[in-house]
Amino acid sequence: MSETKSAAKELREKLFMQRKNGFYRLSDEEAEACYSFCEDYKEFMDRSKIEREVVVYTLDLLKKSGYTEFKCGMQLKAGDKVYLNNRDKAVIMAVIGSEPIEAGVRLCAAHIDSPRLDMKQNPIYEDTEMAYFKTHYYGGIKKYQWTAIPLSLHGVVVKADGERVPVCVGEDESDPVFCVSDLLPHLANAQMSKPLAKGITGEQLNIIIGSRPFKDDEESGAVKLNILNILFEKYGITEADFISAELEAVPAFKARDIGFDRSMIGAYGHDDKVCAYTALRATVECEAPKHTVVTVLTDKEEIGSDGNTGLCSAYLEYFIHDLAEALGSNGRAVLSASECLSADVNAAFDPTFPEVNEKNNCAYINKGVCITKYTGARGKSGTSDASAEFTGRIRRLMDAQNVIWQTGELGKVDEGGGGTVAAYIANLDVDTIDMGVPVISMHAPYEIVSKLDTYMAYKAFAAFIAD
Ligand code: MN
Ligand code: MN
């Protein structure tokens, strides 16, 4: 009996796929390195809530790490580090490899925009002696989640004379915060009987910004007048200046450890800053790579990647062409030989909502960085679907570098779906696959990732870059 059992056990070990919690494989030293890495990540998250702030953080780190601004026609050699700032909302960085650039680049692409509430172009109004901002939400949100939580305001206002005024209110402990109201349950009979998607509408996502009237004035609009006066005194802006502004309301929460064991992190915008930060760290820590490394932190993914700072625009392609030219090659040949990790998050299995996932093909918290061969919806529509060969290559690389990884797709076949920038890069004739961190409560104001998975994403990107 016991002999048969051990033969079965042996066979099982040989033939079955291992899908264990990664902590069983992590040494104590590595667990410590993982937790310590995540302290840096949390600090980054608290400083970088919107794409423009990620760009500021990134440029600062790149300059400190010896990167210089890329200029067309500049002389480049192996080991040189350059960056391109796309309108303060996206960044490309590159480290020139020792191999000729025709051997292709190792490309990592993550996005740095996250779902949020954008201010409308004429946002400020007064109703019943309360002042408000009207918003137009950005990206896929469950609207009811954005009421009754503290919000901070980030972005930029361009004044009539062209002066650019940066805004960040609600992050410092001494700052005020803002809020969208919700109905009290006592009076919410009608609201509570609506479907969840209709409980709060887009036009109800109005942000409270004040209630005190301007003291010398009793005419209507005095609260709005008082707010505009405060804004004029602080920023020198008038109502018309909002027309040329990008103001974004995001949760005012700080990134915090979750759980008694501190194994997870709660924060706004893990999607996709968890992949942006890990790819950025892996890139700036890479010295003298074999292949030229190109990492892009892009904007606009959450609304479909259109616009000149999103990856449907040509800015990445132009950069590769210009880089190839600076190294005496041509961009077309470089792109065809290149490989890309589309570094984006996937949905983690949530035991509270098991019905939306197919348990054999979804990502789990703590089982490592997730490799996603295809995304899409309604029969793989809108995905690039990586080849078996490229998937095999990435799998071998992860195993060789001891990266804890798993595979998973986004939910059950007919449950919904989603996409990433993978398809846009693959369309440039680049071998591309999605890889990223599983997230619980994705697109909620407070998302959850595991520290182990985050650290493994960093290890995975570093392994890919160094290969
Ligand atoms: Mn994403
Ligand atoms: Mn997203």
Side-chain angles (χ1 to χ4, degrees), residues 278-295:
T278 46
L280 171 64
R281 274 285 293 266
T283 307
V284 297
E285 288 169 14
C286 145
E287 300 286 341
K290 208 165 90 185
H291 289 91
T292 293
V293 172
V294 176
T295 295

Side-chain angles (χ1 to χ4, degrees), residues 111 115 271 301-302 442-443:
H111 68 91
D271 176 12
E301 194 277 344
E302 294 296 356
M442 194 198 294
H443 282 207

Side-chain angles (χ1 to χ4, degrees), residues 212-406:
R212 179 173 171 172
F214 187 73
K215 65 174 189 285
D216 295 333
D217 200 317
E218 280 178 29
E219 67 178 86
S220 77
V223 176
K224 172 177 163 178
L225 179 67
N226 193 39
I227 295 291
L228 281 170
N229 187 42
I230 290 168
L231 292 175
F232 185 75
E233 281 177 358
K234 183 158 183 200
Y235 300 107
I237 59 175
T238 66
E239 188 175 17
D241 293 332
F242 285 107
I243 292 168
S244 47
E246 284 176 6
L247 290 173
E248 307 171 6
V250 300
F253 314 137
K254 298 264 183 267
R256 299 282 291 266
D257 286 348
I258 289 196
F260 289 116
D261 56 9
R262 298 178 174 269
S263 59
M264 295 165 282
I265 305 167
Y268 160 70
H270 285 310
D271 176 12
D272 184 31
K273 291 179 206 90
V274 69
C275 296
Y277 181 73
T278 46
L280 171 64
R281 274 285 293 266
T283 307
V284 297
E285 288 169 14
C286 145
E287 300 286 341
K290 208 165 90 185
H291 289 91
T292 293
V293 172
V294 176
T295 295
V296 54
L297 305 183
T298 194
D299 182 28
K300 295 284 177 276
E301 194 277 344
E302 294 296 356
I303 54 167
S305 295
D306 287 316
N308 58 10
T309 53
L311 274 189
C312 284
S313 102
Y315 81 93
L316 175 65
E317 195 182 348
Y318 288 165
F319 178 79
I320 304 272
H321 277 267
D322 293 344
L323 195 66
E325 213 165 278
L327 290 156
S329 183
N330 82 80
R332 211 221 68 154
V334 171
L335 281 166
S336 298
S338 291
E339 295 181 347
C340 173
L341 293 184
S342 162
D344 206 346
V345 300
N346 201 329
F349 179 80
D350 182 341
T352 303
F353 305 99
E355 61 282 358
V356 300
N357 283 298
E358 188 263 287
K359 282 192 157 188
N360 292 325
N361 288 283
C362 62
Y364 294 85
I365 286 287
N366 285 336
K367 289 191 178 176
V369 64
C370 180
I371 298 178
T372 304
K373 187 175 177 294
Y374 51 84
T375 58
R378 300 172 312 281
K380 293 194 178 181
S381 195
T383 181
S384 48
D385 203 351
S387 70
E389 290 83 354
F390 186 55
T391 309
R393 187 183 120 53
I394 295 302
R395 180 187 151 201
R396 284 194 302 282
L397 177 64
M398 294 303 118
D399 285 340
Q401 296 303 319
N402 236 337
V403 175
I404 299 173
W405 64 275
Q406 57 183 324

